[in-house]
């Protein structure tokens, strides 16, 4: 029995190091290759040794697909391809291909230069890894080999985020990556057609949340920032360089302009500035409104937002700083946080999800005394706010996408086990679709029943369809044919079909004209054979299914009519029945 | 694309139009410019009586020679353009678009302009390629996708280069040197052009050329109502550009160097020559503006302004219009005229290379391409040469394509497939007869297992009826083979039939059993038994016939 097998190597009942193995119709595909932000030991990368005990990855995997440039989806890629060793194709969208190496390099710098880790991938490895990348367009059908094809759909999570359909013959799997079902200030909403995959693998970060309207959240955010700035506080917004940062920048930029505020807004690194440039060049990936107005005014050219210098952090007076990374686990955002944490006037706004183990996760869960490196204890007096600006679909959005794609079953990844459990029930009850949530290393096996495509002669098909014109669900017709399991015609075999036909003469005593006889035969058969298709044709003949009955005058005896009943061997029973029926004569007409 | 509003707005067309995103955006700009140019010079009244054939005959040339004047139309409005564009559905290269489940349509990169496409129309067993306006040269767009055109049953080929004798690279060189010469002598250069397309390449060449030629101080002006949009749009279609330009975007840098020309104020763009342009305007300079026909648009003013001085030069680069005709109303002209048409579309050498590579079974193309151009009738190389010879078509001609549809794809449900019993007929070839119910939905055919015969149920009457009337769904095997007449007759005789007469017919034989008034027609692939209503006899004959045939 054919089957689809799915094994998460990461992101199974967890958020972080997304990496899912899919085997479909003999093809093996790896979806995403991420790192885990919460660990800095072996656990940060997926366990690739699971894929093949011994033997090369390239021989086993047909392709690797990266859904978007977030490190928890692509962070392990250079490690995987250069250090473990994989030379096959890696598919991603153009913006992902452009931005991914920059983030990887950034990540590498933090890990190697700041933390001094050895045995990490090098800059050259990132470059070599990116050479294996094949860029795809949205909706382009990419033929990986003769049988395996993949297709990208818009996911809206960050610039260039995509969902992927993986298809072999009539079997298919859709992997959503991270996606967002509500358009925001800079990106559009995810969309997929009714592709009816066998399996939909969806993220479930916000499996239990149903977020209030975006407008409210935006107003809330602006209010909090405004208040903090008014009382002379400093606001830290830890963000990832691309994505949320741009949305919040657009938001603050327009707010500052409207309210005529003077407090400075800064970007933490040069990266974000560069990031804005990417948004300008890949504007076709943003939402409708930005695309329409970009000629007059490019939304990503900010007037109020300036580059940040480390020295600014000690400047007196209010300010707003966007700093990377978003989970306060390393880098500049953590530095600034340590500087500002002691002052209750200041505020930190966490605009996105934080993985367990990060400083961001700790302060959000209410911890106020943090143990830092070197046994230092940092007391957090500053205000801590959380705003869900993360561009993940909420429960409603996930249900909506499942409804759009109409999969046979759903598999949840990229979420916490408890929340998944809730969503699993919801999906099974409301949509009546079976739902799975494997843990890392656990395999889900789905039997599939692919139909078998064959060629059918057009003549046979047309003949069949012409007869089937009367739509009658209760009485399906049978189609007879010969299946040849090799590419050669019946004639080549010397096996031309032989038609055996019978025609019987039935003598009837009936002095009336042939047409009338035929009519009588027609009405008689019609009354007897209620379950059959009896027709009176314009040329005077009568048909019962495919059996033809014609009336003719007898050559010698004008009082006798000859009924010619003609049928093929395939209809023998009915034909023979008809002749015996007609032989009994027609019922006397009530004339 | 430019005539799209005429189809979508005036013919009752209700379908969907498919196009790539750059095609739509840049097409909109081209139409917007055209509408803007036309609407600048509104006509209070228009004459149409001259279109009457009898009157037209008497008019002076070229009116006299114009063809199909009755089909001439007024230019559409912006409203119609917007309405037409709203009917377009955006598609990407290599996207497979299902049409009613019957055919699949796929756009492929044609390498000629941003987003320009060739199309594949295919069913499961047939493939037609439409190749139009393609280029094998490396300019700014993504290179032409040739591999996907392979295995075509029919390849429709059109939109070849208008100037098969000119080499685009040489023309660009000539363009640059003439431009430099004129400017150095203190003259102005006028380049009539469209607001998108070749102009991007020209600006790129000039970007590399101006410093070495010492032209850094010469201003370049690009005047068009859509100049700004065109320059901006060209920068955002990274995915539709050639590899070099894509790599630039990854850095991230703008893919086209005209961004830098604008930043350094070497290139300025204006919506029209009124307004800011008149105050910024400095001579000598280079002006790019439309319309290349020289009949309308800002170019007309520059022709009037600069036409009288022999220092100035007009350089024609667009191949769509004959430059002599374009210039005719401005004669006598003192200004220099240079003709360097740049047309990167396929020439005939490239066509034969392409056909060799792609190897379609048949080629279909407009009539003009099957013979040398009338002006150069000796140039036998300026026509399409392929085997079998290309089929040609003319305006409004319906062409029957030379292939026959024989097969259609059908799916067999796994339950049914399980029930099939293949027999090996010859080594490697197996046969299985299939009896199934055909389900057709959205032009997709599926074979489902036949329903189980219904159990007779209900009262006695019902039961009897179902016994009486045979179930026509009882499956009979298919027959195959043919009947050797002599042996058949011998067998008949063995079984007690006498008085057998055999007649030859055109296709086979007729065996007459005179006594039983029975006639058996035997042909290569069929047998027809015609007898009296004698069931016993019929069954006997049937069994004899079946002995000679193979059953499946």
């Amino acid at each position: 029995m054919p089957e689809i097998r799915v094994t998460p190597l990461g992101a199974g009942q967890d958020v972080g190091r997304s990496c899912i193995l899919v085997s479909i119709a003999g093809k093996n595909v790896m979806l995403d290759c991420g790192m885990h932000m919460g660990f800095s030991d072996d656990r940060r990368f997926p366990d690739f040794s699971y894929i093949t005990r011994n033997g090369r990855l390239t021989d086993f995997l047909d392709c690797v697909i990266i859904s978007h440039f977030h490190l928890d989806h692509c962070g392990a890629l250079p490690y995987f391809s250069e250090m473990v060793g994989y030379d096959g194709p890696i598919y991603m969208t153009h913006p992902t291909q452009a931005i991914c190496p920059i983030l990887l390099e950034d990540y590498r710098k933090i890990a190697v230069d700041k933390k001094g880790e050895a045995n990490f991938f090098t800059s050259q490895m990132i470059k070599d890894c990116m050479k294996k990348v094949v860029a795809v367009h949205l909706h382009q059908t990419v033929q990986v080999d003769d049988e395996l094809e993949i297709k990208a759909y818009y996911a809206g999570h960050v610039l260039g985020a995509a969902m992927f359909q993986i298809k072999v013959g009539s079997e298919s799997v859709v992997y959503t990556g991270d996606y967002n079902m509500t358009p925001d200030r800079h990106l559009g909403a995810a969309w997929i057609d009714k592709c009816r995959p066998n399996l939909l693998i969806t993220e479930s970060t916000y499996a239990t949340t149903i977020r209030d309207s975006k407008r409210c959240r935006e107003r809330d955010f602006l209010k909090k920032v405004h208040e903090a700035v008014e009382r002379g506080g400093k606001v830290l917004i830890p963000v990832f360089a691309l994505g949320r940062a741009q949305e919040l920048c657009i938001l603050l930029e327009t707010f500052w302009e409207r309210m005529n505020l003077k407090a400075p807004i800064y970007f933490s690194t040069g990266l974000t500035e560069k990031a804005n440039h990417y948004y300008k060049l890949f504007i076709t990936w943003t939402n409708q409104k930005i695309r329409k107005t970009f000629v007059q005014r490019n939304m990503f050219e900010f007037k109020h937002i300036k580059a940040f210098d480390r020295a600014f952090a000690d400047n007196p007076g209010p300010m707003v700083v966007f700093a990377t990374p978003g989970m306060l686990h390393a880098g500049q955002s953590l530095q600034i946080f340590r500087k500002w944490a002691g002052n209750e006037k200041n505020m930190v706004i966490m605009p996105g999800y934080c993985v367990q183990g990060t400083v961001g996760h700790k302060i959000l869960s209410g911890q106020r005394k943090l143990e830092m490196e070197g046994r230092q204890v940092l007391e957090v007096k500053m205000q801590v706010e959380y705003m869900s600006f993360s561009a993940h679909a909420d429960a409603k959005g996930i249900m909506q996408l499942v409804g759009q794609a109409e999969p046979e079953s759903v598999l949840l990844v990229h979420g916490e086990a408890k929340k998944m459990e809730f969503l699993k029930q919801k999906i099974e009850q409301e949509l009546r679709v079976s739902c799975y949530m494997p843990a890392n290393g656990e395999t889900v096996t789905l039997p599939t029943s692919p139909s078998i495509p064959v060629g059918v002669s057009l003549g046979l098909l047309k003949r069949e369809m012409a007869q089937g014109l009367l739509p009658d669900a209760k009485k399906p017709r049978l189609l007879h044919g010969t299946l040849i399991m090799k590419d050669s015609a019946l004639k080549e075999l010397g096996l031309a079909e032989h038609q055996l036909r019978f025609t019987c003469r039935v003598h009837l005593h009936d002095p009336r004209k042939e047409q009338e006889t035929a009519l009588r035969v027609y009405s008689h058969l019609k009354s007897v054979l209620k379950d059959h298709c009896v027709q009176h044709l314009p040329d005077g003949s009568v048909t019962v299914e495919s059996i033809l009955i014609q009336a003719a005058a007898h050559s010698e005896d004008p009082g006798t009519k000859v009924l010619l009943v003609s049928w093929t061997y395939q209809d023998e029973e009915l034909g023979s029945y008809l002749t015996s029926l007609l032989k009994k004569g027609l019922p006397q007409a009530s004339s | 694309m430019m005539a799209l509003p005429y189809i979508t707005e005036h013919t009752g067309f209700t379908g969907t139009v498919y196009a790539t995103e750059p095609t739509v955006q840049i097409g909109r700009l081209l139409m917007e410019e055209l509408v803007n140019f036309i609407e600048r010079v509104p006509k209070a009244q228009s004459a149409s009586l001259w279109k009457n054939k009898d009157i037209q005959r008497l008019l002076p040339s070229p009116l006299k020679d114009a063809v199909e004047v009755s089909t001439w139309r007024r230019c559409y409005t912006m409203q119609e353009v917007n309405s037409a564009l709203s009917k377009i559905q955006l598609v990407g290269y290599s996207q497979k678009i299902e049409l009613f489940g019957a055919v699949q349509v796929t756009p492929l990169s044609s390498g000629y302009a941003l987003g320009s496409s060739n199309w594949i129309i295919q069913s499961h067993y047939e493939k037609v390629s439409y190749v139009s306006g393609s280029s094998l040269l490396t300019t700014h767009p993504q290179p032409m996708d040739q591999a996907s055109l392979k295995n075509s049953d029919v390849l429709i080929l059109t939109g070849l280069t208008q100037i098969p004798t000119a080499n685009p690279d040489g023309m660009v060189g000539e363009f640059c040197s003439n431009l430099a010469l004129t400017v150095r002598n203190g003259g102005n250069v006028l380049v009539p052009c469209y607001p998108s397309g070749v102009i991007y390449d020209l600006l790129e060449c000039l970007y590399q050329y101006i410093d070495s030629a010492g032209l850094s101080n010469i201003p370049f002006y690009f005047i068009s109502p859509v100049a700004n949009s065109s320059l901006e749009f060209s920068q955002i279609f990274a995915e539709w550009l050639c590899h070099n330009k894509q790599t630039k975007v990854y850095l991230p840098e703008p893919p086209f160097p005209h961004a830098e020309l604008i930043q350094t104020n070497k290139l300025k763009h204006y919506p029209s020559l009124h307004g800011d342009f008149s105050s910024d305007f400095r001579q000598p300079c280079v002006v790019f503006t439309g319309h290349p026909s020289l009949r309308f648009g800002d170019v007309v003013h520059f022709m009037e302004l600069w036409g009288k001085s022999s220092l100035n030069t007009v350089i024609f680069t667009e191949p769509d219009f004959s430059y002599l005709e374009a210039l005719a109303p401005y004669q006598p002209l003192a200004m220099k005229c240079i003709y360097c048409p740049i047309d990167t579309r396929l020439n005939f050498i490239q066509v034969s290379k392409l056909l060799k590579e792609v190897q379609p079974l048949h080629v279909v193309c407009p009539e003009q391409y099957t013979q040398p151009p009338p002006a150069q009738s000796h140039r036998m190389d300026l026509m399409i040469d392929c085997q079998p010879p290309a089929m040609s078509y003319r305006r409004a001609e319906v062409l029957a394509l030379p292939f026959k549809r024989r097969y259609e794809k059908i799916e067999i449900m796994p339950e049914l497939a399980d029930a099939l019993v293949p027999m090996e007929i010859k080594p490697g070839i197996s046969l299985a007869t299939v009896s199934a119910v055909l389900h057709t939905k959205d032009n997709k055919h599926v074979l489902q297992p036949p329903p189980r015969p219904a159990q007779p149920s209900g009262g006695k009457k019902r039961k009897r009826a179902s016994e009486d009337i045979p179930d026509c769904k009882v499956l009979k095997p298919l027959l195959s083979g043919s009947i050797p007449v002599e042996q058949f007759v011998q067998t008949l005789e063995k079984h007690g039939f006498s008085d057998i007469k055999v007649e030859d017919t055109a296709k086979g034989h007729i065996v007459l059993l005179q006594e039983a008034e029975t006639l058996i027609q035997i042909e290569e692939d069929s047998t027809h038994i015609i007898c009296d209503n004698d069931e016993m006899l019929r069954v006997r004959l049937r069994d004899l016939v079946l002995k000679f045939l193979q059953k499946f």
Side-chain angles (χ1 to χ4, degrees), chain B residues 52 63 85 101 108 124 135 153 164 226 265 268 271 414 427 462 468 488 527 540 549:
Chain B
N52 186 320
L63 285 175
L85 293 180
L108 302 174
H124 295 291
S135 175
D153 293 288
V226 297
N265 263 332
K268 293 183 176 176
R462 179 77 185 252
D468 277 349
F488 181 63
T527 301
R540 265 176 77 199
L549 296 172

Side-chain angles (χ1 to χ4, degrees), chain A residues 459-481 531-535 543-547 568 570-571 574, chain B residues 410 416 434-440 446-452 471-475 478:
Chain A
L460 174 65
L461 192 66
K462 278 187 176 162
R463 209 158 66 209
E464 202 59 31
M465 302 232 291
Q467 287 177 343
L469 273 185
L470 306 164
D472 190 348
K474 280 183 196 151
K475 223 179 62 186
R477 273 192 54 85
L478 276 186
L479 175 139
H480 305 286
D531 282 348
H532 292 77
C533 173
V534 184
Q535 279 177 306
T543 62
V544 179
E545 304 287 342
S546 68
I547 295 163
T568 62
Q570 271 67 29
D571 288 316
L574 187 63
Chain B
I410 197 165
L416 177 64
V434 183
S435 294
V437 179
L438 176 70
H439 276 249
T440 300
V446 179
L447 286 182
Q448 294 181 343
R452 290 202 188 84
D471 190 358
C472 66
K473 288 167 204 92
V474 173
L475 179 59
L478 287 179

Side-chain angles (χ1 to χ4, degrees), chain A residues 63-115:
Chain A
C63 73
V64 172
I65 296 171
I66 302 294
S67 65
H68 64 283
F69 58 66
H70 276 163
L71 288 175
D72 59 331
H73 292 261
C74 70
L77 201 55
Y79 170 76
F80 167 76
S81 76
E82 304 310 309
M83 297 174 79
V84 182
Y86 168 75
D87 297 320
I90 302 168
Y91 292 95
M92 54 177 83
T93 64
H94 283 272
T96 309
Q97 191 191 356
I99 297 164
C100 188
I102 295 168
L103 293 182
L104 286 171
E105 183 58 33
D106 209 48
Y107 171 48
R108 192 194 67 81
K109 269 191 199 145
I110 291 177
V112 177
D113 299 351
K114 295 233 168 93
K115 292 187 185 163

Side-chain angles (χ1 to χ4, degrees), chain A residues 435-450:
Chain A
C435 186
Y436 307 87
M437 39 174 284
N440 286 339
E442 195 182 317
T443 303
V444 169
T445 306
L446 282 173
T448 57
S449 52

